Amino acid sequence: MSACFWRPYCWMMSSLLYLFILLVVFYLPSLPFVFHLRIIYYVCKAKLVCLLRGKGRGRDNHGRLSLLEWWTLSSIVWVDDIDINIHMNNSCYFKHADIARISLLIGSGAYSLASKNGWLLAHGGTQITFKKELGPFQRYTLQVRLHSWGEKWMYFEHRFMVGSRVHAIGISKFVCKKRDRSDVKPIELLKMLGYTHLPITNNPSSSTSTPTSTSTLSSTKQLPLPDITPSEQNPGGHLEKLEAILDQQQQEQQAGTTSRAKQN
């Protein structure tokens, strides 16, 4: 009699336990402190990469991550990233861009340098253009690097990639502030980090700009950085032009692949 009485109770508790485990697995990235743990993980990964590989591609002269080279993170569209349209929610792009950008700034030594001098690196905003959706459980890579800089702002470019195809592209801006709220010019911060060969600004909107193509500052085999920099007044205004350039590059790549296939 007692066994029959407890059997439904045990079945209910087992079902609740399985449901709890399922919810934890599906919504693990949204649990408390998981976001911060992911940042710590990628920061440790960045420092480990620098320690194991030392100087070379993707590192500066001090073995740290180079701000001018792509820093790449691999991820997957998980259950809690999906919205009602069954693709990655728009807000998730900004969240993952934060993780990539913060880990790059820490791995490059920018945060420690600012903290040592009593400065503050402040995020001024991010604008993202969506080109193609990321579906459920789709694997992708997130690339970030320093795109350009002016008298006040540093601009970082983000690319959400699947293979060689760009699914989303974004520009975010950062400013370095002293304790008296005055600005630290980006070139001063960059030179203190060891980038002594750079011009004062590579932003053509500035009167002190030195004509320098950003494509000479970094490289990638798949999609080279176009010769384009955002203006101080409207950093996101060039996203459409940047998007058009990337579309043209991908069309050229596809045309070249088709041509080689026909020759074979």
Side-chain angles (χ1 to χ4, degrees), residues 237-253:
H238 287 279
L239 276 177
E240 293 182 359
K241 184 176 179 181
L242 185 58
E243 182 182 4
I245 294 174
L246 292 173
D247 286 338
Q248 182 181 358
Q249 291 173 347
Q250 289 187 337
Q251 290 174 3
E252 292 175 354
Q253 286 181 346

Side-chain angles (χ1 to χ4, degrees), residues 4-105:
C4 295
F5 175 78
W6 286 107
R7 190 174 301 165
Y9 175 78
C10 295
W11 178 87
M12 182 180 66
M13 293 302 296
S14 299
S15 300
L16 290 176
L17 177 61
Y18 291 140
L19 179 61
F20 174 76
I21 295 174
L22 191 65
L23 290 175
V24 169
V25 171
F26 280 169
Y27 295 94
L28 180 62
S30 297
L31 293 179
F33 306 111
V34 173
F35 176 81
H36 304 86
L37 290 175
R38 291 181 66 189
I39 293 179
I40 294 173
Y41 165 75
Y42 283 113
V43 168
C44 293
K45 179 181 177 181
K47 292 185 176 296
L48 183 61
V49 167
C50 297
L51 179 64
L52 295 179
R53 298 183 182 178
K55 301 177 183 179
R57 181 173 177 79
R59 271 77 58 198
D60 61 14
N61 293 331
H62 302 282
R64 301 170 301 200
L65 290 182
S66 173
L67 289 173
L68 306 179
E69 297 283 349
W70 288 119
W71 170 236
T72 302
L73 281 61
S74 298
S75 190
I76 186 173
V77 181
W78 200 237
V79 175
D80 65 335
D81 292 330
I82 302 170
D83 62 13
I84 194 172
N85 295 314
I86 319 299
H87 60 214
M88 190 158 87
N89 186 275
N90 297 348
S91 62
C92 293
Y93 289 86
F94 294 90
K95 178 177 69 174
H96 297 314
D98 280 346
I99 294 175
R101 188 175 56 251
I102 291 172
S103 60
L104 173 62
L105 287 169

